[in-house]
Amino acid sequence: MKKYILLIAVFLTSLNVIQAQKLDLIPKPVKIEQQPRTFIIPASVHLILDEKVHKSAVFINDKFLKNTGITPKISIGNKHKNNAIQFLVDEKMNIPNDGYTLSVTRKGVLVKGKSTNGVLNGFQTLLQIFSAKEVRRGTIPFVEIEDYPRFEWRGMMLDVSRQFFDKQTVKNYIDWLAAHKMNIFHWHLTDDNGWRIEIKSMPDLTLKGGFRGPGEVLLPSYGSGNKRYGGYYTQEDIKEVVSYALERGVSIMPEIEIPGHSRAVTASYPEIGCVTSQETKSVQGEVKNVWCVGREENYQILDSIIREFTEIFPFEYMHVAGDEVNRATWGQCPKCQAVMKKEGYTDTFQLQNYFFRRIEKIVEKYDRKTAGWNEIIKGGELSPKTQIFAWQGISYGIESVKKGHPTVMIPGQYTYFDMAQSENERGHRWAAITDTKRVYSFEPIPENDLSLEEQKLIKGVQGALWSEYLDLPA
Ligand code: ACM
Ligand code: ZN
């Protein structure tokens, strides 16, 4: 008889597994145990938010209502109540940063995070469960989840220079990042084809450099056609987006493109560029798109610009670019040549390093750390605190780590989403044809090339969305 009971129990357990609804979670949680029973959300449900997450109360309320159709009653505190959905921060939790547990039982729902962002990650899991196909609206399957990220840096870049995306579109983009538990939005705000951030001490950067078309300082490009095209974010807009992102657990790293990719700057303020007798072209065919690094006044200008950036972006890193600099321009410019001579440089990469060492000092003066594309490690030493974005390939990330820099892997061959996703699709092809499978195949830690200690310098991964191939927003 006992044997039969055991068999029936095994059978029922297996049925339970079959009956458990699919929760459609992405990324997949580290641990998940599900039961085939459900918690029915009461029509008068109470959401209890830890004091530490109170800034996200409106976000939590709105998303909850949208996904469940139920208007919750929200209170701030940490007292438990039956049938409630509770969000607690417990800094003593034994779980990696940004980790959380989610427990759904007959008594209610508890989301517990080691930090605010941990709680927000747990909330995103809950939202995904609400919208899973097999989950009935207004219910939550009984589940125990433990989850934490492998990397502390989970970023995504958006290029708003080549195409301009308005504030609401940027907020939507941030919502998608938060939904996938990504925590960094890398905002590529300036480039050859448009300067998108208001700088009060240099108003023409946006008034002139924010637009292109007939009669504008910038020529039409990337499908902008024969009409005035462009736009920019005021500092108030940016503060609003920064708060919006933080309420969702996303930090914003701003990027200023210097000293290359700067046609929007030199078109607005020609004196910033080099004086040359011959034009040379950048990789993307631009002329005059480089800051003169031998012009002393340019460092005061950069000091003011970086100060204004740091006044509106609280994030610890300031990205100062450094990719694809048309250094040949410096070879033609008397002021740049004078610095090379004075410093005894024989190579323009040394001049680039001279520039970035000065930029690092400015960034540090405003209590921020420097970040830049992988080219900035050439030509000499930089501060070991400077974080490198390895975009040209994995080997560039390895080189950066070997030089002692914290490094984010963002190889074009795997995580540039402007690459075509199939043979027949629009998009760049210079790095790869990048379909979903290929992106998933990317392993950010090249174990064979780095010691365990070195591997710790790989802070995480990032994707990038360059916008030359995107449709113009309507
Ligand atoms: C880059 O893709 N030029 C950073
Ligand atoms: Zn110069």
mmCIF file of all heavy atoms in Angstrom, residues 272-276 290-295 298 329-337 351, ligand 2:
data_model
loop_
_atom_site.group_PDB
_atom_site.id
_atom_site.type_symbol
_atom_site.label_atom_id
_atom_site.label_comp_id
_atom_site.label_asym_id
_atom_site.label_seq_id
_atom_site.Cartn_x
_atom_site.Cartn_y
_atom_site.Cartn_z
ATOM 1 N N ILE A 272 37.606 76.252 -32.406
ATOM 2 C CA ILE A 272 37.979 75.081 -31.583
ATOM 3 C C ILE A 272 38.773 74.057 -32.400
ATOM 4 O O ILE A 272 39.591 73.300 -31.874
ATOM 5 C CB ILE A 272 36.708 74.449 -30.959
ATOM 6 C CG1 ILE A 272 36.214 75.344 -29.823
ATOM 7 C CG2 ILE A 272 36.971 73.033 -30.452
ATOM 8 C CD1 ILE A 272 34.909 74.892 -29.168
ATOM 9 N N GLY A 273 38.571 74.043 -33.702
ATOM 10 C CA GLY A 273 39.244 73.050 -34.547
ATOM 11 C C GLY A 273 40.675 73.460 -34.898
ATOM 12 O O GLY A 273 41.110 74.576 -34.620
ATOM 13 N N CYS A 274 41.392 72.525 -35.488
ATOM 14 C CA CYS A 274 42.758 72.799 -35.932
ATOM 15 C C CYS A 274 42.740 73.709 -37.163
ATOM 16 O O CYS A 274 41.779 73.706 -37.926
ATOM 17 C CB CYS A 274 43.457 71.498 -36.317
ATOM 18 S SG CYS A 274 43.813 70.433 -34.909
ATOM 19 N N VAL A 275 43.821 74.454 -37.319
ATOM 20 C CA VAL A 275 43.996 75.222 -38.554
ATOM 21 C C VAL A 275 44.941 74.400 -39.433
ATOM 22 O O VAL A 275 46.081 74.138 -39.050
ATOM 23 C CB VAL A 275 44.603 76.601 -38.254
ATOM 24 C CG1 VAL A 275 44.849 77.372 -39.550
ATOM 25 C CG2 VAL A 275 43.672 77.384 -37.331
ATOM 26 N N THR A 276 44.412 73.952 -40.561
ATOM 27 C CA THR A 276 45.227 73.064 -41.397
ATOM 28 C C THR A 276 45.237 73.542 -42.846
ATOM 29 O O THR A 276 44.306 74.211 -43.292
ATOM 30 C CB THR A 276 44.672 71.619 -41.385
ATOM 31 O OG1 THR A 276 43.311 71.665 -41.797
ATOM 32 C CG2 THR A 276 44.761 70.985 -40.032
ATOM 33 N N VAL A 290 37.804 67.461 -35.546
ATOM 34 C CA VAL A 290 38.687 67.172 -34.410
ATOM 35 C C VAL A 290 38.972 68.447 -33.611
ATOM 36 O O VAL A 290 39.189 69.511 -34.194
ATOM 37 C CB VAL A 290 40.031 66.606 -34.935
ATOM 38 C CG1 VAL A 290 40.923 66.189 -33.777
ATOM 39 C CG2 VAL A 290 39.793 65.425 -35.853
ATOM 40 N N TRP A 291 38.944 68.302 -32.294
ATOM 41 C CA TRP A 291 39.365 69.419 -31.433
ATOM 42 C C TRP A 291 40.862 69.636 -31.609
ATOM 43 O O TRP A 291 41.631 68.665 -31.698
ATOM 44 C CB TRP A 291 39.112 69.103 -29.957
ATOM 45 C CG TRP A 291 37.688 69.199 -29.520
ATOM 46 C CD1 TRP A 291 36.660 68.395 -29.913
ATOM 47 C CD2 TRP A 291 37.140 70.145 -28.594
ATOM 48 N NE1 TRP A 291 35.500 68.784 -29.286
ATOM 49 C CE2 TRP A 291 35.762 69.850 -28.462
ATOM 50 C CE3 TRP A 291 37.665 71.198 -27.839
ATOM 51 C CZ2 TRP A 291 34.910 70.574 -27.626
ATOM 52 C CZ3 TRP A 291 36.818 71.926 -27.002
ATOM 53 C CH2 TRP A 291 35.459 71.622 -26.914
ATOM 54 N N CYS A 292 41.274 70.904 -31.630
ATOM 55 C CA CYS A 292 42.698 71.199 -31.635
ATOM 56 C C CYS A 292 43.207 70.964 -30.217
ATOM 57 O O CYS A 292 42.717 71.578 -29.270
ATOM 58 C CB CYS A 292 42.946 72.654 -32.046
ATOM 59 S SG CYS A 292 44.708 73.041 -32.054
ATOM 60 N N VAL A 293 44.159 70.068 -30.082
ATOM 61 C CA VAL A 293 44.639 69.762 -28.722
ATOM 62 C C VAL A 293 45.817 70.651 -28.325
ATOM 63 O O VAL A 293 46.288 70.615 -27.199
ATOM 64 C CB VAL A 293 44.991 68.260 -28.552
ATOM 65 C CG1 VAL A 293 43.750 67.405 -28.667
ATOM 66 C CG2 VAL A 293 46.026 67.802 -29.561
ATOM 67 N N GLY A 294 46.255 71.485 -29.300
ATOM 68 C CA GLY A 294 47.344 72.425 -28.993
ATOM 69 C C GLY A 294 46.828 73.819 -28.641
ATOM 70 O O GLY A 294 47.611 74.703 -28.335
ATOM 71 N N ARG A 295 45.540 74.015 -28.694
ATOM 72 C CA ARG A 295 44.961 75.329 -28.386
ATOM 73 C C ARG A 295 44.582 75.366 -26.906
ATOM 74 O O ARG A 295 43.642 74.689 -26.473
ATOM 75 C CB ARG A 295 43.720 75.547 -29.267
ATOM 76 C CG ARG A 295 43.075 76.899 -29.091
ATOM 77 C CD ARG A 295 41.912 77.053 -30.080
ATOM 78 N NE ARG A 295 41.357 78.387 -30.038
ATOM 79 C CZ ARG A 295 40.236 78.711 -29.389
ATOM 80 N NH1 ARG A 295 39.534 77.797 -28.759
ATOM 81 N NH2 ARG A 295 39.821 79.972 -29.396
ATOM 82 N N ASN A 298 41.051 75.710 -25.432
ATOM 83 C CA ASN A 298 40.128 74.568 -25.542
ATOM 84 C C ASN A 298 39.988 73.803 -24.223
ATOM 85 O O ASN A 298 38.954 73.198 -23.954
ATOM 86 C CB ASN A 298 40.575 73.620 -26.655
ATOM 87 C CG ASN A 298 40.201 74.156 -28.025
ATOM 88 O OD1 ASN A 298 39.560 75.203 -28.138
ATOM 89 N ND2 ASN A 298 40.616 73.461 -29.085
ATOM 90 N N THR A 329 44.848 65.164 -38.774
ATOM 91 C CA THR A 329 44.620 66.620 -38.700
ATOM 92 C C THR A 329 45.678 67.279 -37.811
ATOM 93 O O THR A 329 46.183 68.360 -38.117
ATOM 94 C CB THR A 329 43.207 66.889 -38.115
ATOM 95 O OG1 THR A 329 42.274 66.154 -38.887
ATOM 96 C CG2 THR A 329 42.847 68.360 -38.147
ATOM 97 N N TRP A 330 45.977 66.631 -36.696
ATOM 98 C CA TRP A 330 46.967 67.192 -35.774
ATOM 99 C C TRP A 330 48.347 67.291 -36.431
ATOM 100 O O TRP A 330 49.129 68.187 -36.116
ATOM 101 C CB TRP A 330 47.082 66.331 -34.502
ATOM 102 C CG TRP A 330 45.814 66.280 -33.687
ATOM 103 C CD1 TRP A 330 44.793 67.178 -33.712
ATOM 104 C CD2 TRP A 330 45.453 65.279 -32.734
ATOM 105 N NE1 TRP A 330 43.806 66.803 -32.822
ATOM 106 C CE2 TRP A 330 44.184 65.634 -32.204
ATOM 107 C CE3 TRP A 330 46.056 64.117 -32.251
ATOM 108 C CZ2 TRP A 330 43.532 64.871 -31.233
ATOM 109 C CZ3 TRP A 330 45.420 63.363 -31.290
ATOM 110 C CH2 TRP A 330 44.164 63.722 -30.787
ATOM 111 N N GLY A 331 48.590 66.347 -37.337
ATOM 112 C CA GLY A 331 49.885 66.350 -38.034
ATOM 113 C C GLY A 331 50.056 67.580 -38.921
ATOM 114 O O GLY A 331 51.177 67.945 -39.281
ATOM 115 N N GLN A 332 48.932 68.231 -39.264
ATOM 116 C CA GLN A 332 48.966 69.398 -40.160
ATOM 117 C C GLN A 332 48.896 70.712 -39.404
ATOM 118 O O GLN A 332 49.028 71.768 -40.008
ATOM 119 C CB GLN A 332 47.728 69.374 -41.071
ATOM 120 C CG GLN A 332 47.366 68.059 -41.657
ATOM 121 C CD GLN A 332 47.916 67.944 -43.056
ATOM 122 O OE1 GLN A 332 48.296 68.952 -43.637
ATOM 123 N NE2 GLN A 332 47.992 66.754 -43.575
ATOM 124 N N CYS A 333 48.594 70.658 -38.117
ATOM 125 C CA CYS A 333 48.245 71.888 -37.382
ATOM 126 C C CYS A 333 49.445 72.427 -36.608
ATOM 127 O O CYS A 333 50.044 71.712 -35.786
ATOM 128 C CB CYS A 333 47.096 71.555 -36.429
ATOM 129 S SG CYS A 333 46.787 72.818 -35.206
ATOM 130 N N PRO A 334 49.805 73.696 -36.829
ATOM 131 C CA PRO A 334 50.991 74.257 -36.148
ATOM 132 C C PRO A 334 50.883 74.193 -34.622
ATOM 133 O O PRO A 334 51.877 73.878 -33.946
ATOM 134 C CB PRO A 334 51.027 75.716 -36.626
ATOM 135 C CG PRO A 334 50.162 75.770 -37.848
ATOM 136 C CD PRO A 334 49.186 74.648 -37.764
ATOM 137 N N LYS A 335 49.682 74.440 -34.075
ATOM 138 C CA LYS A 335 49.552 74.427 -32.602
ATOM 139 C C LYS A 335 49.752 73.013 -32.049
ATOM 140 O O LYS A 335 50.392 72.820 -31.016
ATOM 141 C CB LYS A 335 48.189 74.960 -32.176
ATOM 142 C CG LYS A 335 48.103 76.476 -32.294
ATOM 143 C CD LYS A 335 46.833 76.994 -31.685
ATOM 144 C CE LYS A 335 46.812 78.515 -31.838
ATOM 145 N NZ LYS A 335 45.486 79.071 -31.688
ATOM 146 N N CYS A 336 49.173 72.042 -32.729
ATOM 147 C CA CYS A 336 49.332 70.651 -32.273
ATOM 148 C C CYS A 336 50.784 70.205 -32.443
ATOM 149 O O CYS A 336 51.357 69.531 -31.572
ATOM 150 C CB CYS A 336 48.402 69.726 -33.057
ATOM 151 S SG CYS A 336 46.671 69.957 -32.625
ATOM 152 N N GLN A 337 51.374 70.615 -33.544
ATOM 153 C CA GLN A 337 52.772 70.265 -33.788
ATOM 154 C C GLN A 337 53.686 70.878 -32.728
ATOM 155 O O GLN A 337 54.662 70.256 -32.300
ATOM 156 C CB GLN A 337 53.184 70.738 -35.198
ATOM 157 C CG GLN A 337 52.615 69.864 -36.301
ATOM 158 C CD GLN A 337 53.094 68.414 -36.169
ATOM 159 O OE1 GLN A 337 54.280 68.137 -36.181
ATOM 160 N NE2 GLN A 337 52.151 67.500 -36.006
ATOM 161 N N LEU A 351 50.191 62.318 -28.492
ATOM 162 C CA LEU A 351 49.452 63.573 -28.330
ATOM 163 C C LEU A 351 48.026 63.283 -27.834
ATOM 164 O O LEU A 351 47.483 64.012 -26.997
ATOM 165 C CB LEU A 351 49.416 64.303 -29.681
ATOM 166 C CG LEU A 351 48.914 65.740 -29.671
ATOM 167 C CD1 LEU A 351 49.730 66.623 -28.732
ATOM 168 C CD2 LEU A 351 48.960 66.323 -31.100
HETATM 169 ZN ZN ZN B 2 45.536 71.605 -33.695
#
